[in-house]
C-alpha cells in the first residue's frame, strides 16, 4: 500500500512560520485563545482555539526560532571562523608551533574540502579509530560502529572516505548532500559504508545531525510543527521534509531530479541495488541528534510504503541523543513495525543531554518517545528505561542536580585518562565546551564524546546487544 496525500493525509496539522510572525502578533497570541487570524499559525478549524499553556509553548517556539533566524548569518560566520582556527592550529602542530611557523612565514593553510579538515564536532572528540578491543563478534561492536559512523557523518566527503578506508578498512559506498525542503538547502548529509569483516556483511547508513552553528538546523529541533497521517499519527514536519516529504505526501516513486536528490528515495534505491547483489548482507541506520530522528523516520517511511524487502534486510536502528519525532499513536505504529520485522531500535540517551528531551512531551504538544531508552549516567552506568529521567529538561527541581553533575563531568574529564587510558583524554576544546556546559547543563552532554565513552565503557542487558 503506497502512501500519498489524497489517501492518507488528514487536514489535521499544526504548522508554525516564524518568519511571518511579528512581535505584535506574538503578544496578541498570549492574550487571545482564538488563533484563527494569526498568519504564522496554520491549523484546522477545530484546533483554532487553544488554552494558554499551548499558546505559551507556541510563543516560546516561535520566539526561539526568530532569534536563531535573526542570528543565522553571524552564527554561520562564527562557526566558519572557529572551524578554520581549530584546523589551522591542528595542521600546524599546535598553537605555539603555529606561532613559530607564522614568524618564519611557512605556516600551512587549512583546506575545507581536504581529508585533514575536521568539523567542530570532530574537534570536540578527535577519536577516529573504532575501539580495537571491541571485535566484530562482540555484543558491543554494532553499537560502537553505529556511534562512530554517526560522529563521522559531520565531516566532509574526503575526510569520511579517508577514515573509512584507511582507518576502518571498510568499503566506502557513497557520500550525499540531499535536498532539504524545510531549509531549502542541500543540507541533509548522509554517507554509506560496508563492513566486510562481519558475517553477514553489514551496510551502515549514517545521517548527519545538527551542526552546532547552523541556525536552520536548530530551528528544526525547536519547531514542533506536525502533520497527521491517518492511521499512523502525528509526525514532526521539519524532520519529514529533511528526509524527502513531497507536496503530495510520500508517493512510491518521484520524477528523477539530479539537481535535488531526496534522502529517502535515493537511499532506498541504492540499498535495493546493493542488497539485490549481495543476498546475505544486512544494513543498519544510525545518527546523532537530528540524524537520529532521520534514521528512525527512514524506517517509518519504509513501513508506510510497505517496503518489506528492505525491512527484512534491516538489522537495527541506532540513535544517539535523538529528539522526539511523533505522538503516542505514531509510537504505537512504529512499535508494531519494529516487532513485525524484528528490527532492533536502540535509542541511546546520555545523562542530562537536552536534545532527547525536545520537543516538549506533555498533553499539549503530544510528542512522545517510543521503545526502550538505553540511558547512561555520568559514571557510564547503563540501564534500560521507558523514559529518560527529567523527560522535559526544563524542570526547576532538576536545576541544582544538573549543575552539580556538570561540575562533576568537568572534573571527570581529567580523571578518566588516568583510570581508563589516554584514549579517553579530552582536548582543550572539549574542556572549554564543558566549562560552557556549567552555564547550560546538558549542552556539553549532547556531544558525541560521552556517547562514545558510553558505548565503549558502559554495559547493558545482553538482549540489547545480541548478534
Amino acid at each position: 500500500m503506497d502512501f500519498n496525500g489524497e489517501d492518507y493525509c488528514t487536514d489535521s496539522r499544526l504548522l508554525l512560520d516564524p518568519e511571518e510572525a511579528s512581535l505584535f502578533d506574538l503578544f496578541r497570541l498570549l492574550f487571545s485563545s482564538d488563533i484563527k487570524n494569526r498568519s504564522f499559525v496554520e491549523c484546522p478549524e477545530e484546533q483554532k482555539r487553544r488554552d494558554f499553556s499551548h499558546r505559551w509553548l507556541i510563543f516560546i517556539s516561535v520566539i526561539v526560532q526568530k532569534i536563531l533566524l535573526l542570528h543565522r548569518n553571524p552564527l554561520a560566520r562564527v562557526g566558519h571562523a572557529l572551524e578554520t582556527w581549530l584546523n589551522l592550529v591542528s595542521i600546524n602542530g599546535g598553537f605555539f608551533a603555529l606561532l613559530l611557523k607564522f614568524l618564519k612565514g611557512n605556516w600551512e593553510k587549512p583546506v575545507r574540502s581536504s581529508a585533514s579538515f575536521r568539523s567542530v564536532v570532530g574537534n570536540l572528540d578527535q577519536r577516529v579509530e573504532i575501539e580495537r578491543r571491541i571485535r566484530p563478534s562482540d555484543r558491543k561492536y554494532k553499537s560502537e560502529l553505529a556511534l562512530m559512523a554517526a560522529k563521522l557523518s559531520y565531516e566532509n566527503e574526503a575526510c569520511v572516505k579517508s577514515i573509512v578506508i584507511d582507518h576502518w578498512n571498510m568499503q566506502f559506498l557513497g557520500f550525499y548532500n540531499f535536498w532539504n525542503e524545510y531549509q531549502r538547502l542541500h543540507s541533509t548529509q548522509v554517507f554509506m559504508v560496508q563492513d566486510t569483516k562481519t558475517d553477514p556483511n553489514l551496510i551502515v547508513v549514517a545521517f548527519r545531525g545538527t551542526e552546532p552553528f547552523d541556525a536552520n538546523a536548530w530551528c528544526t529541533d525547536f519547531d514542533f510543527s506536525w502533520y497527521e497521517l491517518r492511521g499512523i499519527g502525528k509526525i514532526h514536519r521539519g524532520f519529514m521534509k529533511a528526509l524527502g516529504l513531497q507536496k503530495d505526501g510520500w508517493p512510491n516513486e518521484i520524477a528523477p531530479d539530479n539537481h535535488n536528490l531526496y534522502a529517502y528515495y535515493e537511499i532506498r534505491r541504492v540499498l535495493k541495488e546493493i542488497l539485490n547483489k549481495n543476498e546475505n548482507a544486512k544494513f543498519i541506520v544510525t545518527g546523532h541528534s537530528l540524524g537520529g530522528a532521520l534514521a528512525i523516520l527512514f524506517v517509518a517511511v519504509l513501513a508506510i510504503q510497505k517496503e518489506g524487502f528492505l525491512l527484512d534486510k534491516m538489522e537495527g536502528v541506532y540513535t544517539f541523543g535523538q529528539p522526539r519525532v511523533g505522538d503516542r499513536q505514531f509510537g504505537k505504529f512504529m512499535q508494531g513495525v519494529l516487532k513485525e520485522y524484528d528490527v532492533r531500535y536502540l535509542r541511546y540517551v546520555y545523562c542530562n543531554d537536552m536534545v532527547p528531551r525536545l520537543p516538549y512531551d506533555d498533553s499539549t504538544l503530544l510528542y512522545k518517545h517510543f521503545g526502550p531508552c538505553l540511558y547512561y549516567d555520568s559514571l557510564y552506568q547503563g540501564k534500560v528505561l521507558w523514559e529518560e529521567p527529567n523527560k522535559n529538561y526544563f524542570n526547576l527541581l532538576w536545576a541544582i542536580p544538573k549543575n552539580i553533575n556538570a561540575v562533576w563531568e568537568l572534573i571527570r574529564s581529567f580523571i578518566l585518562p588516568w583510570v581508563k587510558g589516554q584514549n579517553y583524554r579530552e582536548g582543550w576544546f572539549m574542556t572549554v565546551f564543558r566549562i560552557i556546559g556549567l552555564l547550560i547543563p546538558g549542552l556539553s552532554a549532547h556531544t558525541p564524546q560521552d556517547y562514545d565513552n558510553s558505548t565503549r565503557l558502559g554495559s547493558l542487558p545482553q538482549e540489547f546487544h545480541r548478534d
Side-chain angles (χ1 to χ4, degrees), residues 13-37:
R13 64 185 65 191
L14 175 64
L15 307 180
L16 306 180
D17 186 350
E19 296 189 276
E20 290 290 326
S22 69
L23 290 177
F24 179 70
D25 287 335
L26 285 168
F27 282 106
R28 283 179 62 204
L29 176 72
L30 293 178
F31 297 102
S32 172
S33 62
D34 187 356
I35 63 173
K36 65 181 178 182
N37 295 320

Side-chain angles (χ1 to χ4, degrees), residues 21 32 60 64 84 95 149 170 256 321 353 367 389-390 396 440 449:
S32 172
I60 293 298
V64 170
T84 301
F95 177 76
M170 296 181 189
D353 182 356
Y367 281 97
N390 186 25
L396 291 177
I440 313 174
Q449 177 81 34

Side-chain angles (χ1 to χ4, degrees), residues 138-186:
D138 293 343
R139 293 195 301 270
K140 286 186 177 183
Y141 180 76
K142 290 172 185 173
S143 295
E144 168 68 0
L145 174 59
L147 183 280
M148 294 300 289
K151 182 172 68 172
L152 186 59
S153 67
Y154 288 91
E155 309 306 328
N156 67 65
E157 181 174 5
C159 180
V160 170
K161 188 173 183 179
S162 172
I163 290 173
V164 165
I165 296 173
D166 299 332
H167 293 266
W168 297 0
N169 298 316
M170 296 181 189
Q171 185 177 352
F172 178 73
L173 298 179
F175 180 97
Y176 309 90
N177 276 309
F178 293 113
W179 179 251
N180 183 328
E181 190 68 28
Y182 183 75
Q183 297 178 5
R184 307 296 297 174
L185 296 167
H186 289 93

Side-chain angles (χ1 to χ4, degrees), residues 307-319:
E307 292 285 355
F309 171 74
L310 288 180
L311 289 168
D312 281 332
K313 293 287 187 178
M314 178 175 288
E315 188 278 340
V317 187
Y318 297 74
T319 72

Side-chain angles (χ1 to χ4, degrees), residues 420-436:
K420 297 296 183 180
Q422 289 303 300
N423 198 32
Y424 296 91
R425 181 177 177 272
E426 297 181 8
W428 67 268
F429 184 47
M430 186 66 207
T431 300
V432 170
F433 205 65
R434 289 205 186 276
I435 292 172
I436 296 172

Side-chain angles (χ1 to χ4, degrees), residues 81-91 119-120 123 428-429:
L82 180 59
E83 276 189 341
T84 301
W85 167 251
L86 290 169
N87 283 275
L88 181 65
V89 172
S90 176
I91 65 174
S119 68
V120 169
N123 275 281
W428 67 268
F429 184 47

Side-chain angles (χ1 to χ4, degrees), residues 185-285:
L185 296 167
H186 289 93
S187 59
T188 301
Q189 186 169 299
V190 181
F191 82 89
M192 297 175 64
V193 59
Q194 184 167 0
D195 184 357
T196 56
K197 298 187 295 294
T198 59
D199 186 17
N201 289 176
L202 190 66
I203 297 166
V204 182
V205 181
F207 291 85
R208 185 182 66 185
T210 307
E211 292 193 283
F213 293 92
D214 185 343
N216 289 313
W218 281 107
C219 281
T220 306
D221 286 336
F222 280 97
D223 180 15
F224 56 73
S225 301
W226 47 259
Y227 292 110
E228 183 173 12
L229 311 184
R230 187 180 295 115
I232 293 172
K234 297 180 176 70
I235 310 177
H236 191 284
R237 183 260 306 260
F239 299 153
M240 291 290 266
K241 284 198 169 186
L243 196 59
L245 179 69
Q246 304 294 297
K247 291 181 180 179
D248 57 347
W250 290 104
N252 190 54
E253 301 293 343
I254 60 174
D257 183 349
N258 292 330
H259 297 291
N260 293 332
L261 292 175
Y262 292 94
Y264 169 77
Y265 292 99
E266 183 64 10
I267 294 169
R268 184 190 65 175
R269 183 193 69 78
V270 173
L271 282 173
K272 283 183 177 180
E273 185 177 289
I274 295 172
L275 292 168
N276 277 319
K277 293 177 181 177
N278 187 345
E279 294 182 359
N280 294 323
K282 294 278 190 177
F283 76 98
I284 63 173
V285 289

Side-chain angles (χ1 to χ4, degrees), residues 35-76:
I35 63 173
K36 65 181 178 182
N37 295 320
R38 307 296 180 261
S39 61
F40 62 94
V41 181
E42 180 185 345
C43 61
E45 192 65 35
E46 64 270 17
Q47 298 185 33
K48 294 288 187 182
R49 303 189 71 84
R50 299 283 182 163
D51 59 25
F52 179 78
S53 63
H54 201 161
R55 300 197 313 275
W56 171 251
L57 290 172
I58 291 176
F59 175 83
I60 293 298
S61 174
V62 174
I63 282 288
V64 170
Q65 290 182 74
K66 285 187 77 69
I67 292 172
L68 286 167
L69 292 172
L70 183 65
H71 294 89
R72 107 179 101 192
N73 291 331
L75 268 175

